[in-house]
Amino acid sequence: MSVQRKPADGFALATMVVLCAIWGMQQVAVKLAAPHVPTMMQMALRSGVAALLVGLLCWLRGERGLLLRGPWRAGMLVGVLFSLEFLFVGEGLRHTHASHMGVFLYTAPVFSALGLHWLVPSERLKRTQWLGIGVAFAGIALAFGGGWLHGGLGPGVLLGDTLGLLAGLAWGATTVAIRVSALSEAPPTQTLLYQLVGGVAILLPVALLTGQAGPITMAPVAWASLFFQSVIVCFASYLAWFWLLRRYLASNLSVFSFMTPLFGVSAGIYVLNEQADLSFAVGAVLVLTGILIVSGAGLLRSASALKPGAT
């Protein structure tokens, strides 16, 4: 039976804040481990470890054979899209900065909102919501504009930025593919397992063929980074994300992820010694304003529905 999805409420907002903080830090984690583990190998290892954890969770819950008895065609599609996203991320981070990758990767909500607008009637965006998306995206561009102007753009950085944009497109397409297929009603563990298995099946051979399978030196920072990426990001946060997608409107949730680059920059300031300037502060205000424009109405409706006597 189809699940009726609702606008984002306070619980969804709080959960998305936590998820965005986790996702914002993952680019920094990849950069920190890059001297010890090649980026493409990191992408493959984190998918493999997380796939084992999800498989163990399914076994403990009695959810066995999910890959075989589920909507495997849709599962293969999202597995390929997931692999493409992190192939572009892993390769892109070899050429560009983590902050740049954050900007272009998190254009994903724009792509998913556009796709859902055309394919799912209940997810159509109103004029004010389009305005909110525009304001939020302008805020992201402004928040990172100072870094672009001061650092310049060489051919390598441009290549990395392009790969980051392609990663955002792949992530947005993944969200749309899940929402419009039978996976929208599937258990979160099944959806995630399709993606993780696809990730390790594609990314590990790519790492081997491109010479990025080694050398590997498992320094403490590498262990910590891979634990964070595998257990916290790919296992726990993605399960939470797919759980939310089954209960709330995807367009509402995707817009909240505009917060992610803000957390990424904050992590960069404290971990990678990146500089923050006035453009970031103004951009942050614009991003939060855009989120309120797009999702404020849904939050207010949900809040009034919880009041005593509300009908």
Side-chain angles (χ1 to χ4, degrees), residues 39-251:
T39 55
M40 194 64 66
M41 194 60 179
Q42 289 187 53
M43 301 298 106
L45 287 174
R46 69 188 228 161
S47 294
V49 172
L52 290 175
L53 291 174
V54 175
L56 177 61
L57 177 63
C58 292
W59 183 79
L60 292 174
R61 295 170 58 178
E63 299 175 345
R64 300 168 189 175
L66 287 180
L67 295 180
L68 299 177
R69 55 183 172 83
W72 61 269
R73 289 185 179 86
M76 289 181 63
L77 174 60
V78 298
V80 170
L81 290 171
F82 180 87
S83 302
L84 286 175
E85 176 191 344
F86 286 101
L87 187 153
F88 294 140
V89 168
E91 187 63 20
L93 283 172
R94 296 178 62 207
H95 301 282
T96 192
H97 308 294
S99 57
H100 284 221
M101 179 59 66
V103 171
F104 291 105
L105 175 60
Y106 291 98
T107 58
V110 175
F111 294 118
S112 62
L114 287 170
L116 292 168
H117 173 78
W118 292 108
L119 296 175
V120 182
S122 63
E123 303 261 12
R124 293 194 182 278
L125 297 171
K126 301 186 184 305
R127 185 177 301 175
T128 53
Q129 291 176 305
W130 284 112
L131 174 63
I133 287 181
V135 170
F137 188 72
I140 290 177
L142 181 59
F144 289 89
W148 292 341
L149 292 174
H150 293 127
L153 289 177
V157 174
L158 284 173
L159 172 60
D161 290 349
T162 301
L163 292 171
L165 184 62
L166 291 174
L169 175 60
W171 183 12
T174 302
T175 300
V176 174
I178 292 170
R179 182 66 179 85
V180 302
S181 70
L183 287 173
S184 65
E185 311 297 339
T189 48
Q190 185 177 50
T191 304
L192 181 55
L193 196 57
Y194 275 123
Q195 294 188 76
L196 294 172
V197 170
V200 70
I202 294 175
L203 295 173
L204 183 58
V206 169
L208 294 170
L209 292 173
T210 58
Q212 294 191 61
I216 296 176
T217 56
M218 292 307 296
V221 68
W223 282 109
S225 175
L226 288 174
F227 175 84
F228 174 74
Q229 294 183 59
S230 303
V231 179
I232 306 300
V233 177
C234 285
F235 177 63
S237 78
Y238 289 172
L239 278 178
W241 168 246
F242 294 127
W243 184 87
L244 289 173
L245 281 177
R246 293 189 69 199
R247 287 160 176 80
Y248 297 93
L249 294 173
S251 56

